[in-house]
Amino acid sequence: MNHNHNNGDNRQVVQGKQKMTPSEAFVETLVANGVTDMFGIMGSAFMDAMDIFAPAGIRLIPVVHEQGAAHMADGYARVSGRHGVVIGQNGPGISNCVTGIAAAYWAHSPVVMITPETGTTGIGLGGFQECNQLPMFQEFTKYQGHVTNPVRMAEFTGRCFDRAMSEIGPTQLNIPRDYFYGEIEAEIPEPRRVDRGPGGAQSLDEAAALLAEAKFPVIVSGGGVVMADGVEECKALAERLGAPVVNSYQHNDSFPASHPQWCGPLGYQGSKAGMKLISQADVVLALGTRLGPFGTLPQHGMDYWPKEAKIIQVDADHKMLGLVKKISVGICGDAKAAAIELSRRLEDRTLACDATKDERLARIKAEKDAWERELDEWTHERDPFSLDAIEEAKEETPFSGGQYLHPRQVLRELEKAMPEDVMVSTDIGNINSVAHSYLRFEKPRSFFAPMSFGNCGYALPTIIGAKAAAPHRPAIAYAGDGAWGMSMMETMTAVRHEIPVTAVVFHNRQWGAEKKNQVDFYNRRFVAGELDNQSFAEIGRAMGAEGITVDRLEDVGPALKKAVDMQMNEGKTTIIEIMCTRELGDPFRRDALKKPVRLLEKYQDYV
């Protein structure tokens, strides 16, 4: 008999100290923390608890690979602002999650990783699926809870959920598998949430004084603004100052793109307008950002970070203040609360920049207009390799029979066809990174990229998790064909469990980002960079999704609109395969490699 029905009071948490099994204590603590969805692959290690997920109102969404489950939990957390939860079988099920949890760590996602472990009577004997699961996550978690005794099951479970939110990142709950069994007395802890303040009064006063004297202030709106739900407060402060606002790297959703003061993202493949404007700043307010090294590096031939500017940095983690960039004032506080307090301090003051507000707004508009014109005219890459690749493409015909398209033109057409309220995830890679210039958002919790960890295979599972959390929003993933191969099997998860998404796969037959280094440093000696692929649209159809191959520029926008319409109205997952030329954008970092030197005679030609 199947008992997968939900009763009316299944979300009511049991009150007071009561007799229960550790499995019940674990599940009731999940309920207390609002868990309704988990991602993973079932396993015997936690089956006693899993047996009562359904009557507790918890859905376990089975995935194809546990790395995908961790990415789904990441996407779920980033959209909802709540926990994402991932679980797996002890040993290989857990080790498969390391990469996904590392990505969630650098995305500051409150993911709770539940890791059932070998039973206590067998630890250290090298039994089946045994491994020490705490060390493998220690670099990528904010807290690791290890259940030391069954009576402490609810305590450690609750603490892992609390710490994920208070520390703003992943936590690990490690449970010896025999500790799910027995009889204990337990009380289910109430969730604790930290009430974050704006920072210290002295540092806020110092920051306000600097902003009051600033002639050309610029705001960097970071991921902390999104996490604090502080976009409106950032906007109010920007309008008071008349300041240009740039997004921190891969946080294109931290300020509305339609706002006249929005200037686009910094960092790799970012906005020239934003970079030119921040280079003129005398005071920079870095709001909710750690100012990571990859997000402020030179780009488009510009070393734009202002050398003489006074930097005010606001971050909820005091360890980030001044870590990467020299700062004048560090505020340890919530981005939203800090923005409110700074606005209050500036409210009745005459600011040095008040008199030049119109002139600065005109400068912002001029730089943005120039950048948009450049993007419109930048239909293809212009370096010698890309020009050769474009010529080669004219001689070739894709298996679909049309023609190979320029990635930049494709990205512009996708931008024009984007639906309202869209969520977009991007993978890592050359075309995905070029996409930063073309991805614009009106509301926060809309853009999900693999951040500093930069792992391939990120986009599809993350957008599936996002869609599970926000089924009413259109969900689109961008991936290159190399990265796509790492996670495309999660298409089956989307189809099986009716979590419809749209994937745009840029089929350019190469590992583009690394191949660019072989162009720039290794005289076009291509090793392991070429990919000979089958049709991803056909593979998608074989997995139960719709598949569309696009090989005409005029079909790009209509294909996206059709796929989104099928997603929202028919519940269908679609793989849009776009046949692209092999042209390549700028490398990730020109400082990361050196021209080769060969000292042995047999390698003299390899320079």
Side-chain angles (χ1 to χ4, degrees), residues 38 99 167 311 366 554:
M38 299 169 69
T99 295
E167 300 285 333
I311 312 296
E554 61 268 24

Side-chain angles (χ1 to χ4, degrees), residues 381-392 510 515-516 519-520 524 526 530 582-584:
E381 304 298 345
R382 296 165 186 147
D383 60 287
F385 171 80
S386 292
L387 294 175
D388 289 347
I390 291 165
E391 286 306 309
E392 285 171 19
Q510 63 191 359
K515 190 173 167 183
K516 180 67 173 175
V519 171
D520 287 357
R524 302 193 190 184
F526 299 128
E530 310 300 334
R582 283 184 158 133
E583 58 197 273
L584 293 168

Side-chain angles (χ1 to χ4, degrees), residues 392-433:
E392 285 171 19
K394 290 175 183 173
E395 306 300 318
E396 300 175 298
T397 303
F399 53 66
S400 51
Q403 62 195 56
Y404 290 110
L405 307 179
H406 300 303
R408 284 189 176 273
Q409 284 185 306
V410 168
L411 290 165
R412 199 59 149 171
E413 292 302 310
L414 290 169
E415 177 199 332
K416 291 176 195 168
M418 278 291 162
E420 280 186 47
D421 201 22
V422 70
M423 304 183 289
V424 178
S425 67
T426 56
D427 230 294
I428 200 72
N430 199 275
I431 295 175
N432 289 277
S433 300

Side-chain angles (χ1 to χ4, degrees), residues 427-466:
D427 230 294
I428 200 72
N430 199 275
I431 295 175
N432 289 277
S433 300
V434 173
H436 289 158
S437 298
Y438 304 90
L439 286 168
R440 294 103 188 275
F441 301 94
E442 288 307 306
K443 62 184 275 190
R445 304 190 185 279
S446 299
F447 182 45
F448 319 108
M451 315 309 297
S452 304
F453 201 57
N455 71 288
C456 289
Y458 181 86
L460 177 65
T462 302
I463 209 67
I464 292 171

